[in-house]
Amino acid sequence: MENLRGLLEDVIMNEKIIYGVLSNLKQKNGVEFNKVSLKPVKIKSEIVIQLTYHIGKKVEHYNLSYTEGVDRLEELMIKYFKQTNLFTTEADYQIFINKKGKNKILKKKPTKEKAPLSHNKKKNYIIEEGDLCPFLIKLGIMNDEGKVYKKRYNKFRQINRYLEIVADVIPSLDSNGIINIVDFGCGKSYLTFALYHYLVNILKYNVNIVGLDLKSDVIKNCNKLSEEMNFENLKFIQGDIKNFEEFKKVNMVLTLHACDTATDDALVKAVNWDADIILSVPCCQHELLNQIHNPIMEPMMKHGIIKEKLSTLITDSIRGNILEILGYSTQIMEFIDMEHTPKNILIRAIKKKESNPKLIGEYTEFKKVWGISPYIEKAMGERLHRILQNGKEI
């Protein structure tokens, strides 16, 4: 099998591989998978070979170093599969292996072009089109061949944008223990299922995820899908944010389109848990609309639509400022392009060691300029009150 080994080492170690498929099982031999695909992927700053095992409509991902990838692919090809197709920058290869272990390698002109793994014109997604994801099939985003439906491509794009944001902050979590995650206002839970798939099936983290929503039919459907997908540590509960007591400690809190002050209630919960990561996409920020008053800004405020947008920006700025005062490194960023959804602001906060009382003056002056008394300040309670009064947490 020297030719086979040599070919695998050449196309993988020299980074020529674009894509590959191992198919046509020799015999079951007790294995569950019926096909294995491979491609290079970039995880953080490292390029690895990702093997995707196709088990019926399920998939499992394994990220291997180049050397591990060569060893595992050789084993799979010799032991399990009659045929392998490798698409590389220099050639396409068809590899046939018979029952006696002898191989035949056919070489043809290349049919695929290799795109850079980052900053390329064609977007590289964490979940790529062509990768069979059973939960996306069940949710009506892709078909049984992994093709994303044209009308659902915006949702597919949103899911991947969300996972990119998660990937940026995941290093802030301790991956050695169980990671508790709560998704407040989970709705139909496209992003919740995607998060579980990414953390468990791709990154191999040990997580408990709870999705919370007020609608009983939504919760019922989400739990049914979770069971069908065998997502053992993902469950959904009917209830509101204020009364949620499932976990004593939560590492990551998500609030996606929680309406008006429900976002504030979720942020309060997250801060009281000392959550390591908060990701919040606010929605319907109406609380301050009738409070804001600044004569200098009257040319803007006399127009209802502009005043509403202004109120939204002030509300989310207040939220970000309070999180910073309480010890979070906070960014307010774009979640998805405006053309796809108007709810494009995401508050991303990562817990630091100490509160930041230096921002108290900035916060106090900001409130005074707009003549507002934000709900979130009162909802945060004594902890924030002490910092605001004393300039430090005591």
Side-chain angles (χ1 to χ4, degrees):
M1 305 299 288
E2 290 182 3
N3 290 340
L4 174 62
R5 178 77 185 192
L7 175 61
L8 290 174
E9 288 180 345
D10 178 47
V11 301
I12 290 177
M13 304 301 285
N14 293 320
E15 299 186 348
K16 299 176 183 178
I17 188 70
I18 299 172
Y19 184 69
V21 180
L22 287 65
S23 59
N24 198 354
L25 278 173
K26 293 179 181 178
Q27 53 187 353
K28 277 289 184 179
N29 285 336
V31 300
E32 294 182 340
F33 54 83
N34 50 52
K35 183 175 74 172
V36 175
S37 57
L38 67 133
K39 63 182 178 182
V41 297
K42 191 171 185 179
I43 306 292
K44 297 179 182 178
S45 60
E46 181 183 8
I47 300 175
V48 299
I49 297 298
Q50 184 176 91
L51 299 186
T52 300
Y53 288 70
H54 300 259
I55 307 167
K57 290 188 177 182
K58 288 174 55 181
V59 292
E60 293 182 359
H61 300 280
Y62 296 90
N63 299 321
L64 306 176
S65 68
Y66 289 169
T67 301
E68 291 170 335
V70 170
D71 291 341
R72 184 58 177 150
L73 283 169
E74 184 181 31
E75 178 187 2
L76 286 168
M77 292 166 69
I78 294 172
K79 191 173 181 179
Y80 297 109
F81 292 100
K82 296 179 184 178
Q83 180 176 339
T84 298
N85 291 78
L86 297 178
F87 302 92
T88 77
T89 55
E90 295 182 347
D92 291 354
Y93 296 93
Q94 275 188 300
I95 304 164
F96 302 94
I97 300 177
N98 63 26
K99 293 180 180 179
K100 295 181 180 180
K102 292 185 177 180
N103 70 78
K104 180 180 180 181
I105 301 175
L106 302 179
K107 183 178 180 181
K108 300 179 180 179
K109 291 182 179 180
T111 58
K112 294 184 181 293
E113 292 185 4
K114 187 175 183 179
L117 293 181
S118 61
H119 305 296
N120 53 310
K121 291 183 179 179
K122 182 182 177 182
K123 182 68 176 176
N124 285 310
Y125 291 131
I126 290 176
I127 299 176
E128 290 193 357
E129 187 170 11
D131 288 348
L132 283 179
C133 282
F135 74 93
L136 291 181
I137 295 172
K138 288 279 187 180
L139 291 169
I141 293 176
M142 63 170 51
N143 63 24
D144 290 342
E145 284 75 46
K147 177 72 174 177
V148 176
Y149 294 113
K150 187 175 181 180
K151 291 182 178 179
R152 305 310 305 277
Y153 206 88
N154 287 347
K155 176 60 70 174
F156 178 72
R157 183 171 173 271
Q158 183 194 52
I159 287 170
N160 275 287
R161 173 58 178 151
Y162 174 65
L163 294 182
E164 289 172 2
I165 293 170
V166 171
D168 286 343
V169 298
I170 280 299
S172 300
L173 294 176
D174 182 1
S175 60
N176 294 319
I178 297 175
I179 300 171
N180 290 327
I181 300 173
V182 178
D183 184 354
F184 289 126
C186 59
K188 293 182 180 179
S189 301
Y190 294 94
L191 303 182
T192 321
F193 283 107
L195 178 66
Y196 187 93
H197 171 75
Y198 175 57
L199 295 180
V200 175
N201 295 336
I202 297 179
L203 297 185
K204 308 300 179 184
Y205 282 8
N206 190 1
V207 305
N208 279 321
I209 302 181
V210 172
L212 189 74
D213 201 274
L214 291 171
K215 298 177 182 177
S216 59
D217 57 334
V218 167
I219 293 300
K220 181 179 178 181
N221 291 335
C222 289
N223 276 321
K224 180 182 177 183
L225 179 56
S226 183
E227 290 174 9
E228 290 174 356
M229 296 296 99
N230 293 317
F231 286 1
E232 296 178 356
N233 296 316
L234 171 61
K235 67 177 181 178
F236 298 87
I237 298 173
Q238 183 184 6
D240 63 16
I241 292 170
K242 287 184 176 181
N243 296 320
F244 180 81
E245 301 293 343
E246 182 76 13
F247 297 134
K248 291 183 179 179
K249 168 64 180 175
V250 174
N251 307 95
M252 185 173 180
V253 173
L254 316 171
T255 70
L256 302 175
H257 302 159
C259 190
D260 202 16
T261 57
T263 292
D264 299 312
D265 292 328
L267 296 179
V268 170
K269 278 282 190 180
V271 168
N272 288 339
W273 277 320
D274 281 325
D276 301 297
I277 295 172
I278 302 170
L279 297 177
S280 177
V281 179
C283 176
C284 306
Q285 299 95 318
H286 290 149
E287 184 231 340
L288 299 180
L289 182 61
N290 294 323
Q291 289 190 41
I292 58 173
H293 176 71
N294 185 328
I296 296 176
M297 305 300 290
E298 186 59 27
M300 296 178 69
M301 295 177 62
K302 67 182 180 182
H303 302 288
I305 189 170
I306 294 180
K307 183 179 180 182
E308 186 174 347
K309 292 179 182 295
L310 189 60
S311 173
T312 294
L313 295 175
I314 292 170
T315 301
D316 292 333
S317 298
I318 286 286
R319 288 164 172 163
N321 203 180
I322 284 180
L323 288 173
E324 287 178 320
I325 291 171
L326 290 167
Y328 283 85
S329 175
T330 305
Q331 288 179 293
I332 296 180
M333 57 196 297
E334 187 177 63
F335 176 40
I336 199 73
D337 288 346
M338 203 70 155
E339 63 190 276
H340 299 305
T341 172
K343 305 177 181 72
N344 71 323
I345 292 292
L346 181 138
I347 301 172
R348 183 170 73 181
I350 300 173
K351 180 67 177 175
K352 298 186 296 185
K353 290 184 179 180
E354 299 175 352
S355 59
N356 190 351
K358 294 180 181 179
L359 297 175
I360 292 173
E362 178 183 287
Y363 169 72
T364 304
E365 188 61 28
F366 188 72
K367 285 196 304 176
K368 193 180 299 182
V369 165
W370 291 107
I372 55 177
S373 178
Y375 168 81
I376 189 172
E377 180 182 328
K378 297 186 283 286
M380 281 291 177
E382 280 299 312
R383 181 178 177 184
L384 178 61
H385 178 73
R386 287 195 302 267
I387 297 174
L388 295 177
Q389 290 296 313
N390 300 290
K392 61 181 179 179
E393 193 165 2
I394 58 174

